[in-house]
Amino acid sequence: MSLEYLILLKAELQICLLIFFLLLLKITRTIPNEKLLPLIQLLLLANFVGGFFYNQSGDLFDGMFVSNTLIHLQKHILNLAVYFISLLFSGWFRRCLHLTEFFVLMLSALLGMYFLLSSGNLLIFYLSLELATIPIAAMANFELTRKRSAEAAMKLISSAAFSSGILLFGISLIYGTTGSIRFPEIPLLLDGSALQVMAFVFLVTAFAFKLSIVPFHLWTADVYEGSPAAVTAFLSVVSKGVIAFAFLTILYKVFQPFNGIWYPILLLLSILTIVAGNLFALRQQNMKRFLAFSSIAQVGFILVAMMGKSPESITAITYFVLIYVFSNLAAFGVMEIVAQHTGNENRNALKGLYKTNPLLSWVLALAMFSLAGIPPTAGFFGKLFLITAGASTASYGFIIFVALNLVVSLYYYLLVVKNIFMDDAIEPLEKIPIFGSAKLGLVLCAAGILLVGIFSWIYDYIAAQV
Amino acid sequence: MNVSLFLWVPLATALLLLLIRNIHLVRVVALIGSVIQAFLCIFLYFMYLKERARIGDAFMYFEQQFNWFPSLGISYHVGVDGISIAMMLLTSFVVIAGVLMSWRVEKMTREFFFLLILLSLGAYGFFLSLDLFLLFFFLEVAVIPKYLLIGIWGSGNRKYSANKLALMLMMGSALILVGILGLYFLSGKPGFDITQLKATDVPEKVQQVCFPLLFIGFGVFTALFPFHTWVPDGHSSAPTAGSMFLAGISMKLGGYGCLRVACFLLPAGAKAFAEPIIILSTIAIIYGAFATMMQKDLKYLNAYSSISHCGFVLLGLGMLTQTAYTGAVLQMVSHGLMTALFFAVIGMIYERTHTRTISEMGGLLKVMPMASVLLIIVGMCSLGLPGLSGFVAEMTIFTGAWQNNTILPRVATVLACMSIVVTAVYILRAVGSVVMGPLKEKYQSLTDMVWYEKWAAFVLLLGILIMGVAPGWLVALIKPATQLIMQKIQQP
């Protein structure tokens, strides 16, 4: 029996061990960042690799904690993303004053996300969502000398608190009307009363805040811009991915009887999100804000797949998030390296980058093509399968709308490519030095962008887990 | 024969290019790769003849199929028929010529050849694909190289043109994507395989929705009026080899897609929309011809005349007769060779005079006799002189079009025939003022073609002459394939 606890909670225990280990290390000795960082990277790699062994499906604590193959897979994706973050932002981490604390916070958020994925009732769902959010706000504040960083943390925590309030209210209404907080029971008890619909709308609103779906996206750009790039990357890739997975669970499992209601809601939200994300991204000069709005538009495409109401939707979204890890992290990684060197986060800092920095240029260009969905990059497959999943139920007009918006998004991604390859630098850039581990991260991301799509067994593997 | 070889050779060439540091070696490797590919194409033609003699009529030859995304019904399925062999032969000729014409590219040489070969890889893959998803994949693979080739190595308003081209072609792709998805879902998820979809009875309503999406989508690539506006900008801003590839290969992807996907898989749609296609393509032919008359820049001249010539391809498709279809394929091959040679000659002239404005040139026949004669020959081909490829293709289309004996096709055919007169006017005027007349002082010291230009011109000219003098083998190659397509279209 106790062994079962250990095995089912294996992923969570691994993270806990890491957290305790780092804390103990911090208390007992002072290690310079140059030595600590490789150690952390190694531990995270071990965590990623270890995640593949001894996984079992089942549930614990009277169904509070669920574990199945899909959840394992989603956890692997998160582990991979966190490992990449530790590689890509080496430059910043090395100069970071409180490196251990940063990773402790990041791992705590990750732990929260694990529980969120595994949650089997609304209570633990809420608790883990909080655990997944609050450490990120502390991380956003990590550039202690910069005012903007504090501002970003403030904005993040207040919007998070607000959306949590809404979520709690929704949960209380569900409990009040159905008398249950357990995921498997709720769908049987839903009768479509007005209160329940209201509760559902509250829940969707809370998710819309977290996923920055238009019109609940206003915090996104400011927080992304103010936070350190590592945090922005974590927020936009890991956090977004997890919330998308959780949203899927809530829609497909808990509110399955309401799919007549959530379909039009999602339709409206996805149209708004895609249009607003695209239009605002067109005008951004700051790369972080640009990626913020582009990620809003990408969420819009995820919503398209959610409307499909089929197992293919789950596969397509999981697959897309995996690809998004590679492409978006590569984009953030290159941007951060350039910004650290030039002190300029704007797009025009990239002008003429190719002449002196071919590696950075190719990786960033690949990331942009992948985000835009141009083959042979993985993003093409990701986007295509999202649309395919959505198209099974959607109307023609909507799918044409979505496809044409791909063209709009191509425009702003091409602006970046244009800056890199075609424009001349205002003042010539010298060759930017890259840390070995950051280089490794970039190469891994680029390889992922090129290969994940072509190797179709990855998609089939995901499809088999759903 | 293993047709996947046609993907491996360019892929290996491209990857090899990335590894080489020596610039001269880069050129040699790119050339060797494309020559090997061309010999493989010729070999494929003979293998095809042999296979055909052995097993007789078949929809496709040398098929290969592997599961790719089995849960979605997507497979890696390749194979060739007469039409794709013809298109691949065209591609291989244009690629050799393009590589040769880029011999003196100094800026980022390695990347330039890498992108050229990547572009050709997309084209070969597109012509080989028998799975709609794979076809779409290869169609889009060519987008990045096109964008970068124009944007980095182009001239004039290159960034604007590159953007315009990428966005318009992407819009076409978006429509194709919706069309493919619609076909997939509304006909009961038969998979994306063309050989399977061929046998599926697609409901007529679905055909009427999907056909325009697919036809317009592919039409954007082949300058269907009114979606032709990327053509002049893109072609004139691109570097010489870029223009040759765009007009010679890339625009053909659209025509081939219209034929293989839109018309073949959705015959009822093709019948329902035959009249709009005929009207739009006639507008493209006539508008293109008159717009060409007004051009002062040699590259714009050829770009607009390409719109007019590609209009013939679509006109042939709209006629729904077998001869017209054969003519459309012939026109694609002929126009590909001819326009690539035209752009190559323009590139040679520009290289030396540093201008493309027609009125600033004159008398070039005295200093550059070979290039000038080439320009005259290619001009004659463009206006349809018998003995050259243009005549064979256009004549076949007109003959086929005349077989369609309702009012609108007849009127369209007559109008299209008359556009040849306009073609003669602009070609003779332009060529005349470039090669004849007094030679300007500053051009006295120009030199004639050098070895790589001669070889590039030779390869393309060879194609034009073979096709012009002895088109029989090509027609025999294409005809069985178009016959199958027509059978499917004319089924009740």
Side-chain angles (χ1 to χ4, degrees):
Chain A
M1 184 63 200
S2 56
L3 195 66
E4 195 193 357
Y5 280 93
L6 284 179
I7 286 182
L8 284 179
L9 282 169
K10 194 200 75 185
E12 285 75 12
L13 290 174
Q14 265 179 338
I15 299 290
C16 287
L17 275 178
L18 279 183
I19 294 176
F20 284 127
F21 177 73
L22 286 180
L23 280 177
L24 276 175
L25 210 63
K26 174 77 188 172
I27 296 167
T28 50
R29 42 183 78 181
T30 32
I31 304 175
N33 281 358
E34 290 81 54
K35 284 186 184 160
L36 186 57
L37 187 63
L39 177 68
I40 294 178
Q41 287 164 348
L42 208 63
L43 287 173
L44 289 174
L45 179 63
N47 178 44
F48 170 64
V49 175
F52 285 97
F53 300 103
Y54 300 113
N55 287 318
Q56 270 184 24
S57 305
D59 49 305
L60 286 179
F61 316 122
D62 196 21
M64 254 190 179
F65 182 93
V66 187
S67 183
N68 59 37
T69 49
L70 178 64
I71 291 174
H72 293 146
L73 182 74
Q74 292 172 340
K75 286 176 184 169
H76 299 330
I77 296 177
L78 302 186
N79 283 336
L80 184 70
V82 171
Y83 173 60
F84 278 164
I85 288 177
S86 75
L87 286 179
L88 285 169
F89 300 95
S90 297
W92 186 76
F93 287 140
R94 283 185 174 220
R95 283 183 287 99
C96 186
L97 277 181
H98 305 280
L99 186 64
T100 326
E101 287 88 334
F102 185 86
F103 274 99
V104 168
L105 285 171
M106 191 151 96
L107 288 172
S108 313
L110 190 64
L111 185 65
M113 291 164 181
Y114 276 14
F115 278 114
L116 186 64
L117 290 176
S118 285
S119 55
N121 80 24
L122 284 171
L123 200 64
I124 191 141
F125 181 79
Y126 172 75
L127 280 175
S128 52
L129 191 63
E130 289 299 282
L131 179 57
T133 318
I134 294 170
I136 300 181
M139 283 154 69
N141 196 12
F142 235 72
E143 287 201 1
L144 299 168
T145 50
R146 278 178 67 218
K147 243 183 176 174
R148 307 204 67 145
S149 186
E151 184 194 324
M154 201 60 212
K155 278 184 175 151
L156 180 61
I157 197 75
S158 48
S159 77
F162 186 62
S163 62
S164 298
I166 295 176
L167 182 70
L168 261 188
F169 192 30
I171 291 176
S172 69
L173 287 179
I174 290 173
Y175 183 58
T177 51
T178 61
S180 171
I181 51 170
R182 294 162 50 130
F183 284 179
E185 282 173 11
I186 294 174
L188 309 173
L189 298 165
L190 287 176
D191 52 16
S193 70
L195 267 184
Q196 283 173 359
V197 173
M198 204 160 109
F200 172 67
V201 171
F202 280 142
L203 249 69
V204 171
T205 312
F207 273 108
F209 260 110
K210 306 261 183 211
L211 269 179
S212 50
I213 292 168
V214 178
F216 308 99
H217 66 289
L218 293 165
W219 58 276
T220 317
D222 290 344
V223 171
Y224 277 34
E225 190 187 359
S227 313
V231 183
T232 313
F234 185 75
L235 200 59
S236 81
V237 176
V238 183
S239 174
K240 281 273 168 63
V242 167
I243 305 282
F245 295 149
F247 197 24
L248 266 180
T249 316
I250 291 287
L251 286 180
Y252 282 32
K253 283 200 185 136
V254 183
F255 284 98
Q256 207 273 330
F258 277 12
N259 66 36
I261 301 173
W262 56 253
Y263 188 82
I265 294 180
L266 284 189
L267 182 72
L268 183 69
L269 287 179
S270 69
I271 291 177
L272 282 176
T273 308
I274 292 174
V275 169
N278 271 346
L279 291 186
F280 283 107
L282 286 178
R283 301 190 48 83
Q284 300 306 320
Q285 288 297 320
N286 181 298
M287 277 300 279
K288 277 185 185 163
R289 288 185 82 86
F290 164 77
L291 287 170
F293 282 108
S294 98
S295 81
I296 291 177
Q298 306 274 0
V299 167
F301 288 104
I302 292 185
L303 291 184
V304 173
M306 273 188 199
M307 290 159 54
K309 296 188 272 196
S310 61
E312 276 99 64
S313 307
I314 302 176
T315 317
I317 290 172
T318 314
Y319 186 62
F320 183 77
V321 170
L322 172 67
I323 289 163
Y324 195 60
V325 165
F326 290 108
S327 4
N328 222 23
L329 284 184
F332 271 114
V334 175
M335 188 222 78
E336 168 70 4
I337 290 168
V338 176
Q340 287 284 338
H341 187 78
T342 60
N344 183 350
E345 281 187 353
N346 282 354
R347 205 180 63 219
N348 55 29
L350 299 170
K351 281 188 179 171
L353 187 69
Y354 185 69
K355 294 221 169 65
T356 44
N357 298 285
L359 174 74
L360 290 177
S361 309
W362 278 119
V363 174
L364 187 55
L366 276 180
M368 288 300 137
F369 286 128
S370 181
L371 289 172
I374 306 259
T377 61
F380 168 76
F381 297 92
K383 277 269 170 67
L384 209 60
F385 295 152
L386 283 185
I387 295 177
T388 311
S392 57
T393 53
S395 67
Y396 259 106
F398 179 63
I399 293 303
I400 293 181
F401 163 83
V402 172
L404 288 180
N405 265 284
L406 282 177
V407 185
V408 179
S409 72
L410 178 66
Y411 174 74
Y412 53 78
Y413 293 122
L414 282 185
L415 280 180
V416 177
V417 178
K418 180 176 85 107
N419 276 333
I420 300 172
F421 287 100
M422 301 172 196
D423 290 336
D424 294 319
I426 315 160
E427 43 193 79
L429 273 169
E430 63 263 45
K431 186 148 180 65
I432 301 175
I434 314 171
F435 284 109
S437 50
K439 207 178 243 173
L440 173 68
L442 290 177
V443 171
L444 285 178
C445 282
I449 291 173
L450 282 175
L451 300 179
V452 168
I454 309 256
F455 290 146
S456 61
W457 58 264
I458 296 176
Y459 181 86
D460 293 325
Y461 177 74
I462 296 175
Q465 312 302 316
V466 172
Chain B
M1 187 175 179
N2 185 351
V3 284
S4 296
L5 217 56
F6 290 93
L7 300 175
W8 287 114
V9 172
L11 188 66
T13 315
L15 292 180
L16 199 59
L17 286 178
L18 283 185
L19 297 177
I20 301 174
R21 298 268 158 225
N22 181 332
I23 289 184
H24 185 67
L25 203 56
V26 163
R27 300 179 186 126
V28 174
V29 168
L31 184 61
I32 291 176
S34 46
V35 170
I36 291 178
Q37 184 84 338
F39 276 112
L40 276 177
C41 284
I42 295 169
F43 183 62
L44 174 69
Y45 168 68
F46 288 109
M47 289 298 284
Y48 162 83
L49 290 184
K50 218 168 134 191
E51 185 81 356
R52 211 180 140 66
R54 191 171 68 84
I55 60 171
D57 274 346
F59 172 55
M60 283 288 158
Y61 298 85
F62 308 118
E63 282 183 61
Q64 268 185 338
Q65 188 163 19
F66 304 105
N67 277 339
W68 199 18
F69 290 94
S71 50
L72 292 167
I74 295 167
S75 62
Y76 169 85
H77 189 182
V78 289
V80 289
D81 67 350
I83 300 176
S84 30
I85 292 175
M87 303 311 289
M88 282 161 66
L89 279 170
L90 162 72
T91 309
S92 65
F93 275 57
V94 175
V95 172
I96 294 183
V99 168
L100 281 167
M101 281 306 292
S102 317
W103 210 255
R104 285 281 167 262
V105 169
E106 300 293 341
K107 185 180 170 191
M108 299 193 232
T109 316
R110 193 153 49 104
E111 289 84 344
F112 185 85
F113 283 106
F114 173 72
L115 292 173
L116 278 188
I117 301 292
L118 201 63
L119 182 48
S120 76
L121 171 70
Y124 284 118
F126 184 83
F127 294 133
L128 284 171
S129 311
L130 288 180
D131 183 281
L132 288 182
F133 186 88
L134 193 67
L135 186 116
F136 185 68
F137 174 82
F138 281 117
L139 183 68
E140 294 249 294
V141 162
V143 170
I144 302 178
K146 278 181 229 168
Y147 176 75
L148 291 178
L149 278 174
I150 296 176
I152 301 177
W153 291 274
S155 55
N157 211 348
R158 60 193 162 97
K159 295 173 203 166
Y160 165 79
S161 308
N163 236 334
K164 187 171 181 178
L165 172 127
L167 292 176
M168 284 196 71
L169 294 188
M170 188 70 183
M171 190 196 85
S173 312
L175 296 180
I176 296 170
L177 172 65
V178 181
I180 291 177
L181 289 180
L183 185 61
Y184 174 67
F185 281 110
L186 298 180
S187 50
K189 293 196 191 181
F192 290 96
D193 202 316
I194 291 182
T195 43
Q196 273 173 36
L197 283 167
K198 173 176 78 107
T200 318
D201 205 13
V202 185
E204 199 158 328
K205 254 194 183 146
V206 178
Q207 299 208 17
Q208 294 200 344
V209 184
C210 291
F211 182 81
L213 287 171
L214 286 170
F215 199 89
I216 293 174
F218 284 116
V220 173
F221 283 79
T222 190
L224 170 71
F225 183 86
F227 305 102
H228 62 280
T229 53
W230 63 271
V231 178
D233 291 312
H235 286 54
S236 58
S237 299
T240 303
S243 312
M244 291 165 71
F245 274 44
L246 270 181
I249 304 172
S250 180
M251 282 174 86
K252 307 299 166 288
L253 301 184
Y256 180 83
C258 284
L259 176 66
R260 172 78 75 214
V261 181
C263 295
F264 178 55
L265 293 180
L266 304 166
K271 275 181 212 153
F273 285 93
E275 293 193 348
I277 294 173
I278 292 173
I279 293 172
L280 285 180
S281 52
T282 314
I283 293 177
I285 292 170
I286 294 173
Y287 162 83
F290 277 103
T292 317
M293 274 177 74
M294 307 307 295
Q295 300 308 317
K296 297 180 177 65
D297 181 312
L298 270 180
K299 268 197 164 179
Y300 271 100
L301 177 107
N302 195 26
Y304 273 103
S305 88
S306 287
I307 297 177
S308 177
H309 283 117
C310 282
F312 284 110
V313 176
L314 297 175
L315 183 76
L317 295 183
M319 290 302 174
L320 296 176
T321 64
Q322 199 208 329
T323 317
Y325 270 48
T326 312
V329 180
L330 285 173
Q331 171 76 351
M332 281 199 266
V333 178
S334 147
H335 176 252
L337 291 169
M338 173 189 90
T339 201
L341 184 56
F342 210 142
F343 275 123
V345 179
I346 294 172
M348 295 171 203
I349 294 175
Y350 178 69
E351 191 93 316
R352 292 167 174 78
T353 61
H354 301 289
T355 178
R356 297 191 315 232
T357 313
I358 296 169
S359 57
E360 284 180 20
M361 294 178 232
L364 293 184
L365 194 59
K366 296 194 185 81
V367 283
M368 305 169 58
M370 274 178 97
S372 306
V373 169
L374 266 182
L375 189 66
I376 297 172
I377 293 176
V378 82
M380 293 304 134
C381 180
S382 178
L383 59 77
L385 192 77
L388 298 169
S389 66
F391 171 75
V392 177
E394 282 172 18
M395 197 60 206
T396 319
I397 293 181
F398 291 141
T399 320
W402 201 251
Q403 289 168 359
N404 191 335
N405 53 6
T406 40
I407 293 290
L408 183 77
R410 284 270 153 103
V411 175
T413 314
V414 171
L415 284 173
C417 282
M418 290 197 313
S419 83
I420 289 186
V421 182
V422 185
T423 313
V425 172
Y426 66 70
I427 286 290
L428 293 177
R429 213 167 53 177
V431 171
S433 55
V434 171
V435 303
M436 315 277 187
L439 181 69
K440 291 222 168 96
E441 190 69 28
K442 56 181 172 179
Y443 297 143
Q444 291 288 359
S445 56
L446 295 185
T447 50
D448 206 359
M449 293 156 70
V450 287
W451 68 270
Y452 55 87
E453 291 170 332
K454 282 180 193 161
W455 276 105
F458 171 75
V459 169
L460 293 172
L461 196 60
L462 187 71
I464 291 178
L465 285 176
I466 291 178
M467 200 180 147
V469 179
W473 64 276
L474 192 59
V475 177
L477 176 66
I478 297 168
K479 230 175 173 173
T482 49
Q483 194 168 5
L484 272 176
I485 293 177
M486 274 330 286
Q487 272 170 13
K488 162 109 171 134
I489 291 176
Q490 273 156 358
Q491 265 166 16

